[in-house]
Amino acid sequence: MSQKVKIDAKSLQYAFLAGAKSIEEKKEYINELNVFPVPDGDTGTNMTLTITAAAKEVANINEPTFANVTKAMSTGSLRGARGNSGVILSQLIRGFCKELEGKDEIIIQDIAAAFNRAVATAYKAVMKPKEGTILTVAKGLSDKATELSRTNIDLIEYAQAVLSYGREVLNKTPEMLPVLKEAGVVDSGGEGLMTILEGAFDALSGRVAYDFSNGYGDTPAGSQTAPDASGLKTTNSVGIDRKDIDTSHIKYGYCTEFIIMIEKEYNKQIEAEFKSYLESIGDSLVVVSDDEIVKVHVHTNHPGLAFERGLTYGSLTSMKVDNMREEHREKVIMEAEKQAFEQAKERDAAKAAVDEAVTEQSAPQKDYGFISVSVGEGMNDIFKDLGVDYLIEGGQTMNPSTEDMLNAIEQVNAKTVYILPNNKNIILAANQAQSLVDDKEIVVVPSKTAPQGVAALISFDPSKSGEDNLASMIEDMNNVKTGQVTYAVRDTSIDGKEINAGDIMGIDDEGIQSVSTDLVTATKELLAGMVDEDSELISIYYGADVTEADAKAFEEYVEDTYSDCDVEFNYGGQPIYYYILSVE
């Protein structure tokens, strides 16, 4: 069998970074393929953030082997996964890497086996796989890869044929999902997957060349070189007047972060001892562990001691030390902490949350605690009033990552932790985080909207078992109808409706129900379709872009029109969505 080209670890590293670069360049095009023309965190953005989280780990490898490259690809994408498309991509990468981790070089039979394992892993992660999606495209690639692995073909020809067939499958997705056909687009997740793979192939074959020695920078074609390990690093520098800034209150001066690639015994007892040691030399401690890696964050005056202790358990990667006093002077402390917590919070808010969690850890462990995804000042206050211990900022405009979930879980000092995603595109990331935690019982309440999350929290009964509570929370939240009012970002046709950019859309659990050039008209039409003779309670949350006067006028309309229902009006403060409606 002819094998003119083989792939070694350095080539795999280069190809992966090139694939990440490719989707980063085309993410806006992929976003535009989404069926719903809503201004939210879309497929291209989620897949880009997911693979970039892994690319940063991969680029930091100085001496690539299949073991360290595949581990960085897998763990980085797993923890950085955002949105359903990002979680599915991370599972495809995880399965692919699992098949290759022990290799010295790979040939087409290895690629076929890796594709098969990738597809099996991804399908297993999705409760109800739907055809016409990224999974269908991945399955087509796997089938063709397996078929051609039995022929006498070299690797370049093999890759071209597999990718060509993947495009054929992608182009057929509108025939599998009528909603895609009506909108005149192919599946956005499938397009994202093909973009990554085609970008990787173009780089390996020399059609496109990248130089990753200074971040994501293009170089002229023909100068194909493997990436330098310094690629994909980020730096911050802000020039300001540094005088008159007091830093004396900072007890521990160095924000220290690193990842341990576990190579020796590491169990719960050892982890407890490790945490105890880190607490003796610092504060603001966060330690997140799974079977293969341990991620550490600590504020200390002696980063070297933390590194040395970490080395007793395995090799270190992603080491980062920030001088907090200097950063304070430069007024970028907020941005630095935001990056450390996957852009989930501004630095001061995140530090306050960590400090609060450290204080809580010293208190007796509670029986149960709650984590909720929320966005908007008013919505945040509502969830806090309902007993939520930790809020993850996010939602439609920015889907939180799996690692955001893990950080939150670490900071809730409870035996059982309930997670309310409050968005259908965040549930998979919550489930993925659940699978990575073994020292607490994690219960994912599959709330798809904020009103469902509110209903689930109200129904919680501390006297019930965890299983009974989950059942009652799901039952109560399923009795909630949710509607959301936003604007269209592009022209499209969907659900039999012609929509122009800038139109106001009323969207309920079934799809787009009203379209108008007028906000009040669209909202009234949406609500009219949600209320029926069995309705008892109407809850309305108005967003950041609605004035208090306009909200009051609409409240009076609702109370007059639906006098048989109780009406609750609340300031949500959410961006993007003018109104969120709830009918029970």
Side-chain angles (χ1 to χ4, degrees), residues 17-319:
L17 297 178
K21 174 68 174 177
S22 181
I23 193 171
E24 183 188 44
E25 292 173 340
K26 299 174 183 176
K27 66 181 178 182
E28 292 305 327
Y29 167 71
I30 297 168
N31 283 342
E32 292 175 1
L33 295 177
N34 279 270
V35 172
F36 280 174
V38 294
D40 59 14
D42 282 322
T43 302
T45 299
N46 284 333
M47 295 183 75
T48 298
L49 290 172
T50 298
I51 198 169
T52 298
K56 290 177 180 179
E57 302 289 339
V58 171
N60 283 328
I61 298 174
N62 289 309
E63 298 181 5
T65 65
F66 273 94
N68 60 26
V69 171
T70 55
K71 180 174 285 190
M73 289 168 58
S74 179
T75 57
S77 61
L78 191 70
R79 292 175 174 275
R82 295 177 187 268
N84 290 345
S85 57
V87 172
I88 293 172
L89 175 62
S90 74
Q91 291 295 324
L92 288 169
I93 293 172
R94 183 184 188 186
F96 189 88
C97 290
K98 198 69 177 175
E99 191 67 30
L100 301 181
E101 61 186 11
K103 304 290 183 179
D104 293 322
E105 59 184 17
I106 55 177
I107 56 177
I108 62 174
Q109 289 78 18
D110 301 315
I111 295 174
F115 267 116
N116 285 330
R117 191 155 181 174
V119 169
T121 303
Y123 267 90
K124 192 181 298 183
V126 180
M127 186 172 296
K128 295 180 180 179
K130 183 183 295 185
E131 295 308 316
T133 66
I134 183 176
L135 291 171
T136 305
V137 177
K139 181 67 164 56
L141 290 164
S142 176
D143 290 344
K144 180 59 71 170
T146 300
E147 174 191 335
L148 293 179
S149 69
R150 305 186 185 102
T151 65
N152 185 23
I153 186 173
D154 71 39
L155 195 147
I156 294 295
E157 294 172 316
Y158 173 78
Q160 288 175 322
V162 171
L163 293 175
S164 177
Y165 184 73
R167 275 286 165 192
E168 289 181 29
V169 175
L170 176 63
N171 291 335
K172 292 176 182 177
T173 55
E175 303 303 321
M176 304 177 199
L177 281 178
V179 69
L180 294 176
K181 189 171 185 178
E182 184 181 9
V185 296
V186 297
D187 177 67
S188 55
E191 177 66 41
L193 178 62
M194 291 304 305
T195 298
I196 292 168
L197 293 175
E198 289 168 346
F201 173 74
D202 286 346
L204 280 183
S205 62
R207 294 182 182 180
V208 177
Y210 295 106
D211 177 7
F212 296 104
S213 61
N214 187 29
Y216 276 136
D218 294 2
T219 59
S223 61
Q224 177 185 355
T225 57
D228 184 274
S230 62
L232 299 182
K233 293 180 180 177
T234 58
T235 59
N236 291 303
S237 60
V238 180
I240 63 169
D241 184 0
R242 299 183 179 183
K243 61 185 178 182
D244 300 327
I245 298 179
D246 179 23
T247 62
S248 61
H249 64 284
I250 300 178
K251 182 178 180 181
Y252 295 104
Y254 298 98
C255 177
T256 304
E257 297 179 55
F258 57 97
I259 291 176
I260 307 171
M261 316 300 287
I262 298 174
E263 297 168 354
K264 300 177 183 178
E265 182 180 6
Y266 188 84
N267 52 38
K268 290 183 179 180
Q269 180 180 347
I270 293 174
E271 180 180 47
E273 294 172 352
F274 183 36
K275 288 181 177 179
S276 178
Y277 174 76
L278 292 174
E279 287 172 347
S280 72
I281 63 169
D283 65 7
S284 298
L285 176 64
V286 177
V287 176
V288 179
S289 308
D290 66 13
D291 293 337
E292 298 178 335
I293 70 171
V294 178
K295 184 169 183 179
V296 179
H297 168 279
V298 64
H299 293 175
T300 179
N301 287 327
H302 303 285
L305 295 179
F307 290 148
E308 288 178 11
R309 188 58 173 256
L311 283 168
T312 64
Y313 310 119
S315 57
L316 305 187
T317 185
S318 301
M319 294 176 287

Side-chain angles (χ1 to χ4, degrees), residues 373-380 382-383 394-397 421-423 448-455 480-487 504-509 519 522-524 526-527 530-531 537-546 551 554-555 558 567-584:
V373 178
S374 177
V375 61
E377 180 184 355
M379 293 303 303
N380 291 348
I382 290 168
F383 281 116
Q396 286 295 93
T397 53
N422 299 332
N423 187 303
K448 297 179 181 179
T449 65
Q452 283 192 348
V454 170
V480 175
K481 299 176 185 177
T482 302
Q484 301 177 95
V485 183
T486 187
Y487 60 92
I504 305 299
M505 302 178 296
I507 307 169
D508 67 6
D509 300 322
L519 171 61
T523 308
K524 287 179 178 179
L526 174 64
L527 183 58
M530 295 172 62
V531 178
L537 173 64
I538 299 173
S539 300
I540 300 177
Y541 308 87
Y542 67 94
D545 296 323
V546 177
F554 188 66
E555 178 183 10
V558 175
V567 178
E568 292 184 357
F569 225 82
N570 301 281
Y571 172 63
Q574 69 276 0
I576 305 299
Y577 291 89
Y578 300 108
Y579 289 102
I580 296 176
L581 313 177
S582 171
V583 177
E584 301 176 51

Side-chain angles (χ1 to χ4, degrees), residues 375-402:
V375 61
E377 180 184 355
M379 293 303 303
N380 291 348
D381 289 341
I382 290 168
F383 281 116
K384 288 177 183 176
D385 290 342
L386 290 172
V388 170
D389 298 277
Y390 190 94
L391 289 172
I392 300 176
E393 292 284 345
Q396 286 295 93
T397 53
M398 176 57 73
N399 296 150
S401 68
T402 297

Side-chain angles (χ1 to χ4, degrees), residues 531-575:
V531 178
D532 57 30
E533 59 184 14
D534 296 323
S535 300
E536 298 178 353
L537 173 64
I538 299 173
S539 300
I540 300 177
Y541 308 87
Y542 67 94
D545 296 323
V546 177
T547 66
E548 187 174 352
D550 288 343
K552 185 64 177 177
F554 188 66
E555 178 183 10
E556 292 173 355
Y557 163 81
V558 175
E559 289 176 339
D560 292 343
T561 307
Y562 303 100
S563 56
D564 291 339
C565 295
D566 292 328
V567 178
E568 292 184 357
F569 225 82
N570 301 281
Y571 172 63
Q574 69 276 0

